[in-house]
Amino acid sequence: VESYKTVDGRGRDITVDGTWRLEDVHDLIVSDLTLTRSIREGEQSCEQDGDVIDIRGTGGPSPSDFSSHDIWLHHIAFRDGGDGLLDIRGGTNITVSWSHFADHKKVSLAWQDTDGRATPGMHVTWHHNHFDHTTVRNPRFHYGRAHYVNNFVDEWWQSGAASYDEAQFYSEANIYL
């Protein structure tokens, strides 16, 4: 997927099986899809290679330092992922909205950039998402600023949302069952 693109599955029943690696992209909208990473020979559930969506790039102390930015993931059904369902490593100004993360061990990790550097300029918003029968990383956020609002975390096991490494995590009106 390249920059300045919209992938819109509204009104269709579209399932994509594999890992979407979004590296050094910007101005991207992905909407109304089911995304999965099926088990391949020799793999076990929730431990496949890769993630369902893997956002990669370089980052730094300011949002303008990021090579991956301005990404909107809307109305996505994340299923049967690889290592995780959504990893953000070097992206900013990302919104994840009205999406369904289901039946998985590790949901979403946002932390260092591709080169392993801290990303204090990372800004991510999660709103109106359903985290359904998940274990950890609902999401797990490091370094930058997160806005986590009106999400439903349904039957989670080890941890709900979490922040580390001096992250500013603004949480409001979420429900944990």
Side-chain angles (χ1 to χ4, degrees), residues 9-155:
R10 282 180 294 179
R12 304 284 188 253
D13 184 14
I14 299 171
T15 299
V16 179
D17 185 349
T19 295
W20 282 35
R21 187 172 180 132
L22 309 176
E23 188 165 3
D24 302 325
V25 298
H26 55 88
D27 300 284
L28 176 67
I29 300 169
V30 180
S31 178
D32 295 277
L33 301 174
T34 297
L35 303 179
T36 187
R37 168 59 176 83
S38 295
I39 299 171
R40 310 296 198 256
E41 187 176 329
E43 296 178 335
Q44 295 180 16
S45 179
C46 298
E47 299 192 10
Q48 302 98 300
D49 288 333
D51 300 293
V52 174
I53 292 185
D54 190 10
I55 298 173
R56 297 281 181 141
T58 56
S62 169
S64 63
D65 296 329
F66 286 76
S67 60
S68 291
H69 56 87
D70 299 304
I71 298 170
W72 182 21
L73 305 175
H74 177 70
H75 220 270
I76 306 294
F78 290 89
R79 303 255 188 265
D80 303 321
D83 175 55
L85 297 176
L86 171 62
D87 271 14
I88 303 169
R89 298 178 188 232
T92 193
N93 297 336
I94 297 170
T95 299
V96 183
S97 61
W98 295 96
S99 292
H100 187 201
F101 298 88
D103 301 313
H104 204 275
K105 183 177 177 182
K106 295 185 255 179
V107 178
S108 183
L109 175 65
W111 73 317
Q112 299 170 336
D113 73 5
T114 302
D115 297 327
R117 293 183 303 237
T119 53
M122 177 171 45
H123 298 168
V124 181
T125 300
W126 285 272
H127 73 84
H128 293 92
N129 297 294
H130 183 189
F131 297 86
D132 185 8
H133 292 85
T134 55
T135 304
V136 295
R137 300 180 183 171
N138 295 297
R140 181 174 170 173
F141 191 79
H142 296 253
Y143 303 111
R145 293 189 331 201
H147 190 194
Y148 188 72
V149 60
N150 291 330
N151 296 288
F152 179 41
V153 185
D154 184 13
E155 293 198 34

